[in-house]
């Protein structure tokens, strides 16, 4: 299947907890899960690392925001045209604001649920 001497795998990730966990799992799977045919991993590349002095934060955030806006427009367009599944009602796109930590476990899911609930239209209270 492969020549152990010539085969190498390059892991590329981003510096988020979820991505790093997946990269560590992949590294383990490639090197230890098949001891008779391990795949060498000599380098791990981490993309999108911000500078320690913070000089690139504003530009980075502007690029992220622009990319998000464009992607959300594309998703909304697709939801309107093909998201209804033939039922005539478009799929609703719900935006959740950026959370300061990645949602993990029961607590993280509760925080995410609270954000989703905020998006549900609240009844109008008349006086």
């Amino acid at each position: 299947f492969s020549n152990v001497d010539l085969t190498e795998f390059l892991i590329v990730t981003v510096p988020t907890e979820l991505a790093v966990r997946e990269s560590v799992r992949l590294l383990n799977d490639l090197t230890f899960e098949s001891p008779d045919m391990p795949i060498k991993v000599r380098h791990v590349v981490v993309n999108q690392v911000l500078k320690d002095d913070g000089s690139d934060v504003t530009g980075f955030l502007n690029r992220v925001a622009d990319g998000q806006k464009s992607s959300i427009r594309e998703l909304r367009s697709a939801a309107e045209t093909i998201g209804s599944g033939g039922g005539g009602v478009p799929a609703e796109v719900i935006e959740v604001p950026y959370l300061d930590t990645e949602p993990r476990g029961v607590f993280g899911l509760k925080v995410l649920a609270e954000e989703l609930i905020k998006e549900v239209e609240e009844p109008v209270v008349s006086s």
Side-chain angles (χ1 to χ4, degrees), residues 87-119:
V89 178
E92 182 181 4
V93 175
I94 299 172
E95 295 179 33
V96 176
Y98 183 81
L99 303 174
D100 60 352
T101 60
E102 293 182 60
R104 296 183 329 232
V106 174
F107 177 75
L109 291 176
K110 285 181 180 179
V111 170
L112 185 59
E114 288 173 9
E115 289 298 327
L116 286 170
I117 290 171
K118 288 179 186 178
E119 292 294 321

mmCIF file of all heavy atoms in Angstrom, residues 87-119:
data_model
loop_
_atom_site.group_PDB
_atom_site.id
_atom_site.type_symbol
_atom_site.label_atom_id
_atom_site.label_comp_id
_atom_site.label_asym_id
_atom_site.label_seq_id
_atom_site.Cartn_x
_atom_site.Cartn_y
_atom_site.Cartn_z
ATOM 1 N N GLY A 87 -40.692 22.221 -0.492
ATOM 2 C CA GLY A 87 -41.865 22.557 0.302
ATOM 3 C C GLY A 87 -42.314 23.992 0.159
ATOM 4 O O GLY A 87 -43.348 24.373 0.674
ATOM 5 N N GLY A 88 -41.536 24.807 -0.513
ATOM 6 C CA GLY A 88 -41.920 26.192 -0.740
ATOM 7 C C GLY A 88 -41.513 27.153 0.351
ATOM 8 O O GLY A 88 -41.588 28.348 0.180
ATOM 9 N N VAL A 89 -41.077 26.659 1.504
ATOM 10 C CA VAL A 89 -40.656 27.520 2.590
ATOM 11 C C VAL A 89 -39.136 27.429 2.704
ATOM 12 O O VAL A 89 -38.594 26.347 2.889
ATOM 13 C CB VAL A 89 -41.303 27.091 3.929
ATOM 14 C CG1 VAL A 89 -40.828 27.968 5.070
ATOM 15 C CG2 VAL A 89 -42.813 27.129 3.808
ATOM 16 N N PRO A 90 -38.453 28.562 2.585
ATOM 17 C CA PRO A 90 -36.987 28.504 2.648
ATOM 18 C C PRO A 90 -36.484 28.128 4.041
ATOM 19 O O PRO A 90 -37.140 28.401 5.041
ATOM 20 C CB PRO A 90 -36.557 29.925 2.278
ATOM 21 C CG PRO A 90 -37.730 30.779 2.545
ATOM 22 C CD PRO A 90 -38.955 29.906 2.370
ATOM 23 N N ALA A 91 -35.312 27.494 4.086
ATOM 24 C CA ALA A 91 -34.686 27.175 5.363
ATOM 25 C C ALA A 91 -34.241 28.475 6.025
ATOM 26 O O ALA A 91 -33.779 29.390 5.358
ATOM 27 C CB ALA A 91 -33.482 26.259 5.139
ATOM 28 N N GLU A 92 -34.413 28.540 7.333
ATOM 29 C CA GLU A 92 -34.029 29.737 8.081
ATOM 30 C C GLU A 92 -32.556 29.647 8.474
ATOM 31 O O GLU A 92 -32.096 28.622 8.971
ATOM 32 C CB GLU A 92 -34.883 29.866 9.338
ATOM 33 C CG GLU A 92 -34.587 31.092 10.155
ATOM 34 C CD GLU A 92 -35.443 31.186 11.413
ATOM 35 O OE1 GLU A 92 -36.211 30.260 11.695
ATOM 36 O OE2 GLU A 92 -35.305 32.206 12.107
ATOM 37 N N VAL A 93 -31.814 30.714 8.249
ATOM 38 C CA VAL A 93 -30.415 30.786 8.659
ATOM 39 C C VAL A 93 -30.372 31.574 9.962
ATOM 40 O O VAL A 93 -30.811 32.716 10.017
ATOM 41 C CB VAL A 93 -29.543 31.475 7.585
ATOM 42 C CG1 VAL A 93 -28.118 31.647 8.083
ATOM 43 C CG2 VAL A 93 -29.581 30.683 6.289
ATOM 44 N N ILE A 94 -29.869 30.950 10.999
ATOM 45 C CA ILE A 94 -29.787 31.582 12.315
ATOM 46 C C ILE A 94 -28.321 31.870 12.617
ATOM 47 O O ILE A 94 -27.481 30.981 12.533
ATOM 48 C CB ILE A 94 -30.382 30.672 13.410
ATOM 49 C CG1 ILE A 94 -31.857 30.404 13.110
ATOM 50 C CG2 ILE A 94 -30.206 31.299 14.786
ATOM 51 C CD1 ILE A 94 -32.488 29.373 14.009
ATOM 52 N N GLU A 95 -28.032 33.108 12.965
ATOM 53 C CA GLU A 95 -26.668 33.500 13.291
ATOM 54 C C GLU A 95 -26.483 33.529 14.806
ATOM 55 O O GLU A 95 -27.296 34.097 15.524
ATOM 56 C CB GLU A 95 -26.365 34.890 12.732
ATOM 57 C CG GLU A 95 -26.394 34.954 11.220
ATOM 58 C CD GLU A 95 -26.117 36.355 10.711
ATOM 59 O OE1 GLU A 95 -25.341 37.094 11.350
ATOM 60 O OE2 GLU A 95 -26.696 36.710 9.666
ATOM 61 N N VAL A 96 -25.425 32.908 15.266
ATOM 62 C CA VAL A 96 -25.060 32.929 16.680
ATOM 63 C C VAL A 96 -23.804 33.780 16.799
ATOM 64 O O VAL A 96 -22.840 33.561 16.064
ATOM 65 C CB VAL A 96 -24.786 31.503 17.211
ATOM 66 C CG1 VAL A 96 -24.311 31.538 18.655
ATOM 67 C CG2 VAL A 96 -26.024 30.633 17.072
ATOM 68 N N PRO A 97 -23.796 34.766 17.693
ATOM 69 C CA PRO A 97 -22.613 35.611 17.813
ATOM 70 C C PRO A 97 -21.391 34.805 18.263
ATOM 71 O O PRO A 97 -21.516 33.729 18.844
ATOM 72 C CB PRO A 97 -23.005 36.643 18.874
ATOM 73 C CG PRO A 97 -24.200 36.111 19.548
ATOM 74 C CD PRO A 97 -24.844 35.120 18.641
ATOM 75 N N TYR A 98 -20.227 35.366 18.001
ATOM 76 C CA TYR A 98 -18.979 34.725 18.388
ATOM 77 C C TYR A 98 -18.935 34.574 19.900
ATOM 78 O O TYR A 98 -19.160 35.530 20.632
ATOM 79 C CB TYR A 98 -17.791 35.576 17.904
ATOM 80 C CG TYR A 98 -16.466 34.955 18.204
ATOM 81 C CD1 TYR A 98 -15.953 33.959 17.378
ATOM 82 C CD2 TYR A 98 -15.729 35.328 19.311
ATOM 83 C CE1 TYR A 98 -14.730 33.373 17.648
ATOM 84 C CE2 TYR A 98 -14.514 34.750 19.591
ATOM 85 C CZ TYR A 98 -14.021 33.768 18.766
ATOM 86 O OH TYR A 98 -12.809 33.185 19.043
ATOM 87 N N LEU A 99 -18.669 33.381 20.367
ATOM 88 C CA LEU A 99 -18.550 33.126 21.798
ATOM 89 C C LEU A 99 -17.076 33.201 22.185
ATOM 90 O O LEU A 99 -16.203 32.854 21.397
ATOM 91 C CB LEU A 99 -19.118 31.750 22.143
ATOM 92 C CG LEU A 99 -20.577 31.516 21.735
ATOM 93 C CD1 LEU A 99 -20.980 30.082 21.997
ATOM 94 C CD2 LEU A 99 -21.497 32.469 22.483
ATOM 95 N N ASP A 100 -16.793 33.643 23.392
ATOM 96 C CA ASP A 100 -15.398 33.817 23.794
ATOM 97 C C ASP A 100 -14.663 32.504 24.031
ATOM 98 O O ASP A 100 -13.439 32.481 24.148
ATOM 99 C CB ASP A 100 -15.279 34.737 25.011
ATOM 100 C CG ASP A 100 -16.026 34.210 26.219
ATOM 101 O OD1 ASP A 100 -16.761 33.220 26.096
ATOM 102 O OD2 ASP A 100 -15.876 34.803 27.307
ATOM 103 N N THR A 101 -15.389 31.390 24.098
ATOM 104 C CA THR A 101 -14.760 30.077 24.197
ATOM 105 C C THR A 101 -15.512 29.118 23.290
ATOM 106 O O THR A 101 -16.684 29.337 22.967
ATOM 107 C CB THR A 101 -14.796 29.511 25.633
ATOM 108 O OG1 THR A 101 -16.156 29.390 26.045
ATOM 109 C CG2 THR A 101 -14.045 30.388 26.606
ATOM 110 N N GLU A 102 -14.850 28.042 22.903
ATOM 111 C CA GLU A 102 -15.513 27.035 22.080
ATOM 112 C C GLU A 102 -16.493 26.270 22.955
ATOM 113 O O GLU A 102 -16.148 25.851 24.064
ATOM 114 C CB GLU A 102 -14.481 26.058 21.501
ATOM 115 C CG GLU A 102 -13.554 26.690 20.492
ATOM 116 C CD GLU A 102 -12.578 25.683 19.919
ATOM 117 O OE1 GLU A 102 -13.033 24.695 19.320
ATOM 118 O OE2 GLU A 102 -11.376 25.898 20.080
ATOM 119 N N PRO A 103 -17.734 26.070 22.478
ATOM 120 C CA PRO A 103 -18.706 25.320 23.279
ATOM 121 C C PRO A 103 -18.273 23.857 23.405
ATOM 122 O O PRO A 103 -18.091 23.179 22.405
ATOM 123 C CB PRO A 103 -20.014 25.430 22.492
ATOM 124 C CG PRO A 103 -19.755 26.323 21.352
ATOM 125 C CD PRO A 103 -18.300 26.571 21.256
ATOM 126 N N ARG A 104 -18.084 23.398 24.645
ATOM 127 C CA ARG A 104 -17.701 22.014 24.896
ATOM 128 C C ARG A 104 -18.500 21.495 26.070
ATOM 129 O O ARG A 104 -18.756 22.213 27.037
ATOM 130 C CB ARG A 104 -16.221 21.912 25.268
ATOM 131 C CG ARG A 104 -15.261 22.311 24.201
ATOM 132 C CD ARG A 104 -13.844 22.088 24.696
ATOM 133 N NE ARG A 104 -13.757 22.269 26.137
ATOM 134 C CZ ARG A 104 -12.898 23.039 26.757
ATOM 135 N NH1 ARG A 104 -12.012 23.695 26.085
ATOM 136 N NH2 ARG A 104 -12.896 23.152 28.061
ATOM 137 N N GLY A 105 -18.886 20.259 25.997
ATOM 138 C CA GLY A 105 -19.585 19.625 27.099
ATOM 139 C C GLY A 105 -20.961 20.214 27.328
ATOM 140 O O GLY A 105 -21.470 21.016 26.548
ATOM 141 N N VAL A 106 -21.562 19.790 28.433
ATOM 142 C CA VAL A 106 -22.928 20.209 28.760
ATOM 143 C C VAL A 106 -23.003 21.719 28.975
ATOM 144 O O VAL A 106 -23.899 22.380 28.463
ATOM 145 C CB VAL A 106 -23.436 19.450 30.010
ATOM 146 C CG1 VAL A 106 -24.796 19.978 30.450
ATOM 147 C CG2 VAL A 106 -23.516 17.964 29.727
ATOM 148 N N PHE A 107 -22.047 22.286 29.709
ATOM 149 C CA PHE A 107 -22.067 23.725 29.970
ATOM 150 C C PHE A 107 -21.975 24.512 28.665
ATOM 151 O O PHE A 107 -22.718 25.469 28.446
ATOM 152 C CB PHE A 107 -20.931 24.130 30.910
ATOM 153 C CG PHE A 107 -20.878 25.608 31.149
ATOM 154 C CD1 PHE A 107 -21.801 26.227 31.978
ATOM 155 C CD2 PHE A 107 -19.920 26.394 30.519
ATOM 156 C CE1 PHE A 107 -21.765 27.598 32.184
ATOM 157 C CE2 PHE A 107 -19.877 27.757 30.721
ATOM 158 C CZ PHE A 107 -20.798 28.369 31.558
ATOM 159 N N GLY A 108 -21.073 24.110 27.783
ATOM 160 C CA GLY A 108 -20.916 24.795 26.504
ATOM 161 C C GLY A 108 -22.175 24.722 25.664
ATOM 162 O O GLY A 108 -22.557 25.695 25.000
ATOM 163 N N LEU A 109 -22.826 23.566 25.699
ATOM 164 C CA LEU A 109 -24.074 23.416 24.945
ATOM 165 C C LEU A 109 -25.184 24.281 25.534
ATOM 166 O O LEU A 109 -26.008 24.824 24.800
ATOM 167 C CB LEU A 109 -24.501 21.946 24.901
ATOM 168 C CG LEU A 109 -23.605 21.047 24.062
ATOM 169 C CD1 LEU A 109 -24.058 19.596 24.170
ATOM 170 C CD2 LEU A 109 -23.579 21.486 22.606
ATOM 171 N N LYS A 110 -25.191 24.440 26.854
ATOM 172 C CA LYS A 110 -26.188 25.315 27.485
ATOM 173 C C LYS A 110 -25.982 26.768 27.048
ATOM 174 O O LYS A 110 -26.931 27.474 26.752
ATOM 175 C CB LYS A 110 -26.114 25.209 29.008
ATOM 176 C CG LYS A 110 -26.712 23.938 29.548
ATOM 177 C CD LYS A 110 -26.635 23.896 31.069
ATOM 178 C CE LYS A 110 -27.237 22.605 31.594
ATOM 179 N NZ LYS A 110 -27.164 22.515 33.057
ATOM 180 N N VAL A 111 -24.725 27.204 27.011
ATOM 181 C CA VAL A 111 -24.423 28.574 26.577
ATOM 182 C C VAL A 111 -24.865 28.765 25.126
ATOM 183 O O VAL A 111 -25.489 29.768 24.774
ATOM 184 C CB VAL A 111 -22.910 28.878 26.743
ATOM 185 C CG1 VAL A 111 -22.545 30.198 26.079
ATOM 186 C CG2 VAL A 111 -22.542 28.895 28.214
ATOM 187 N N LEU A 112 -24.562 27.787 24.281
ATOM 188 C CA LEU A 112 -24.957 27.851 22.876
ATOM 189 C C LEU A 112 -26.480 27.865 22.747
ATOM 190 O O LEU A 112 -27.034 28.643 21.970
ATOM 191 C CB LEU A 112 -24.361 26.667 22.106
ATOM 192 C CG LEU A 112 -24.586 26.643 20.617
ATOM 193 C CD1 LEU A 112 -24.027 27.886 19.940
ATOM 194 C CD2 LEU A 112 -23.958 25.396 20.016
ATOM 195 N N ALA A 113 -27.160 27.043 23.535
ATOM 196 C CA ALA A 113 -28.625 27.015 23.503
ATOM 197 C C ALA A 113 -29.215 28.362 23.900
ATOM 198 O O ALA A 113 -30.180 28.831 23.290
ATOM 199 C CB ALA A 113 -29.148 25.910 24.424
ATOM 200 N N GLU A 114 -28.622 29.001 24.901
ATOM 201 C CA GLU A 114 -29.109 30.320 25.324
ATOM 202 C C GLU A 114 -28.982 31.337 24.198
ATOM 203 O O GLU A 114 -29.862 32.168 23.999
ATOM 204 C CB GLU A 114 -28.343 30.794 26.560
ATOM 205 C CG GLU A 114 -28.711 30.037 27.814
ATOM 206 C CD GLU A 114 -27.828 30.396 29.011
ATOM 207 O OE1 GLU A 114 -27.043 31.359 28.906
ATOM 208 O OE2 GLU A 114 -27.936 29.703 30.031
ATOM 209 N N GLU A 115 -27.897 31.256 23.456
ATOM 210 C CA GLU A 115 -27.716 32.170 22.323
ATOM 211 C C GLU A 115 -28.747 31.884 21.234
ATOM 212 O O GLU A 115 -29.276 32.797 20.611
ATOM 213 C CB GLU A 115 -26.296 32.061 21.755
ATOM 214 C CG GLU A 115 -25.231 32.637 22.660
ATOM 215 C CD GLU A 115 -25.393 34.120 22.923
ATOM 216 O OE1 GLU A 115 -25.871 34.857 22.039
ATOM 217 O OE2 GLU A 115 -25.046 34.557 24.035
ATOM 218 N N LEU A 116 -29.027 30.616 20.990
ATOM 219 C CA LEU A 116 -30.020 30.259 19.972
ATOM 220 C C LEU A 116 -31.414 30.700 20.394
ATOM 221 O O LEU A 116 -32.205 31.167 19.571
ATOM 222 C CB LEU A 116 -30.006 28.752 19.712
ATOM 223 C CG LEU A 116 -28.816 28.247 18.918
ATOM 224 C CD1 LEU A 116 -28.766 26.730 18.939
ATOM 225 C CD2 LEU A 116 -28.866 28.756 17.491
ATOM 226 N N ILE A 117 -31.710 30.569 21.670
ATOM 227 C CA ILE A 117 -33.028 30.974 22.163
ATOM 228 C C ILE A 117 -33.228 32.472 21.998
ATOM 229 O O ILE A 117 -34.326 32.936 21.714
ATOM 230 C CB ILE A 117 -33.211 30.537 23.636
ATOM 231 C CG1 ILE A 117 -33.349 29.014 23.692
ATOM 232 C CG2 ILE A 117 -34.412 31.211 24.271
ATOM 233 C CD1 ILE A 117 -33.309 28.435 25.088
ATOM 234 N N LYS A 118 -32.157 33.253 22.157
ATOM 235 C CA LYS A 118 -32.256 34.705 21.975
ATOM 236 C C LYS A 118 -32.722 35.049 20.567
ATOM 237 O O LYS A 118 -33.339 36.080 20.352
ATOM 238 C CB LYS A 118 -30.902 35.380 22.224
ATOM 239 C CG LYS A 118 -30.485 35.423 23.646
ATOM 240 C CD LYS A 118 -29.122 36.090 23.765
ATOM 241 C CE LYS A 118 -28.578 36.045 25.176
ATOM 242 N NZ LYS A 118 -27.245 36.641 25.247
ATOM 243 N N GLU A 119 -32.413 34.181 19.608
ATOM 244 C CA GLU A 119 -32.766 34.434 18.209
ATOM 245 C C GLU A 119 -34.254 34.188 17.935
ATOM 246 O O GLU A 119 -34.794 34.647 16.952
ATOM 247 C CB GLU A 119 -31.927 33.554 17.273
ATOM 248 C CG GLU A 119 -30.467 33.912 17.245
ATOM 249 C CD GLU A 119 -30.214 35.282 16.641
ATOM 250 O OE1 GLU A 119 -30.885 35.639 15.665
ATOM 251 O OE2 GLU A 119 -29.338 35.981 17.169
#
